[in-house]
């Protein structure tokens, strides 16, 4: 295909809610997304929280062998609202 790119996605940022939702299907879908990302060797960057649907994604990616980087505001980190593995405290997203 002319003009097509052969770039492969290596990292992805996923934004997810801090609630697991009311339906178990939501959590199953989040877990499945994490498994697919890990199978494709795609690394995850996310909000770093330890609550809700995003936790299902991040744990599945981590257990699948891909890298997970959680970014959380320092104020929330001090209150313990983050995953303990590979996270960075930040005061703004401009640190990137």
């Amino acid at each position: 295909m002319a003009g097509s790119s052969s770039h492969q996605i290596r990292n992805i940022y996923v934004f997810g809610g801090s609630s697991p939702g009311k339906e178990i299907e939501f959590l199953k879908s989040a877990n499945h997304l994490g498994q697919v990302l890990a199978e494709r060797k795609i690394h995850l960057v996310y909000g770093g929280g330890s609550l809700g649907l995003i936790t299902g994604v991040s744990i599945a990616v981590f257990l699948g062998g891909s890298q997970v980087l959680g970014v959380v505001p320092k104020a929330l980190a001090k209150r313990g609202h983050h995953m303990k593995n590979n996270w960075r405290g930040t005061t703004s997203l401009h640190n990137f």
Side-chain angles (χ1 to χ4, degrees), residues 4-27:
S4 67
S5 175
S6 63
H7 290 90
Q8 180 179 350
I9 296 173
R10 294 187 181 158
N11 301 292
I12 190 167
Y13 183 87
V14 175
F15 178 82
S18 60
S19 167
K22 295 183 179 182
E23 302 292 331
I24 191 70
E25 292 303 316
F26 295 158
L27 190 53

Side-chain angles (χ1 to χ4, degrees), residues 14 24-40 53-61 64:
V14 175
I24 191 70
E25 292 303 316
F26 295 158
L27 190 53
K28 286 180 181 179
S29 294
N31 188 24
H32 180 69
L33 173 61
Q35 291 171 350
V36 169
L37 293 174
E39 288 169 4
R40 296 182 182 188
L53 294 175
I54 192 59
T55 303
V57 177
S58 63
I59 289 173
V61 169

Side-chain angles (χ1 to χ4, degrees), residues 23-85:
E23 302 292 331
I24 191 70
E25 292 303 316
F26 295 158
L27 190 53
K28 286 180 181 179
S29 294
N31 188 24
H32 180 69
L33 173 61
Q35 291 171 350
V36 169
L37 293 174
E39 288 169 4
R40 296 182 182 188
K41 307 288 189 241
I42 298 173
H43 305 301
L44 174 68
V45 179
Y46 79 110
S50 61
L51 305 171
L53 294 175
I54 192 59
T55 303
V57 177
S58 63
I59 289 173
V61 169
F62 180 77
L63 292 177
S66 284
Q67 295 178 10
V68 176
L69 174 62
V71 180
V72 66
K74 288 181 180 177
L76 291 179
K78 289 178 185 176
R79 295 181 4 204
H81 295 286
H82 63 280
M83 299 294 281
K84 302 296 183 194
N85 292 325

